[in-house]
């Protein structure tokens, strides 16, 4: 049940992005659900490998390269799914940051994070 709630929170966070950034557009709630699912898979499977491969650069930039990695992965998902549009790379970086903040905020407000 918690996984479904997290998925819906991420979809709502994606739907909020176009209202905060005009360079991001999403066509429908169904598209937001699909994008949230794909972003979840990308962040679970691909992101750890990319972070590991770019560890020297990440250490050299004191962790700031993670922001670029998040933007690249967000932009990759934009290119995979029709109905989800971002104006460019820096818009993808900003969108990924804003998406992360909105998703984290909604999760903190709506989900009970007490240990079992």
């Amino acid at each position: 049940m918690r996984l479904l709630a997290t998925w819906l929170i991420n979809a709502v966070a994606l739907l909020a992005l176009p209202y905060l950034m005009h360079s991001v557009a999403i066509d429908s709630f169904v598209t937001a659900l699909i994008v949230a699912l794909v972003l979840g898979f990308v962040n679970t499977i691909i992101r750890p490998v990319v972070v590991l491969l770019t560890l020297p650069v990440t250490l050299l930039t004191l962790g700031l390269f993670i922001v670029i990695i998040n933007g690249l992965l967000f932009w990759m998902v934009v290119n995979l799914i029709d109905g989800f549009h971002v104006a460019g790379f820096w818009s993808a970086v900003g969108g990924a940051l804003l998406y992360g903040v909105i998703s984290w905020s909604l999760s903190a407000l709506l989900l009970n994070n007490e240990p079992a």
Side-chain angles (χ1 to χ4, degrees), residues 10-115:
N10 289 339
V12 169
L14 282 167
L15 286 174
L17 276 180
Y19 294 104
L20 301 171
M21 288 185 68
H22 297 293
S23 58
V24 177
I26 195 153
D27 291 346
S28 67
F29 184 69
V30 173
T31 304
L33 287 172
I34 294 168
V35 171
L37 185 67
V38 172
L39 272 172
F41 282 129
V42 165
N43 284 330
T44 302
I45 297 169
I46 297 174
R47 187 174 184 268
V49 174
V50 173
V51 167
L52 187 64
L53 290 174
T54 60
L55 191 60
V57 177
T58 303
L59 291 174
L60 188 65
T61 61
L62 302 175
L64 291 176
F65 195 69
I66 296 289
V67 174
I68 302 299
I69 291 171
N70 287 342
L72 284 170
L73 294 176
F74 194 79
W75 200 22
M76 182 184 78
V77 172
V78 166
N79 291 322
L80 291 176
I81 297 176
D82 293 331
F84 185 40
H85 312 283
V86 174
F89 171 71
W90 291 111
S91 294
V93 170
L97 283 172
L98 196 55
Y99 167 72
V101 168
I102 294 169
S103 175
W104 174 79
S105 300
L106 287 175
S107 294
L109 286 172
L110 299 175
L111 296 178
N112 187 3
N113 289 329
E114 293 179 13

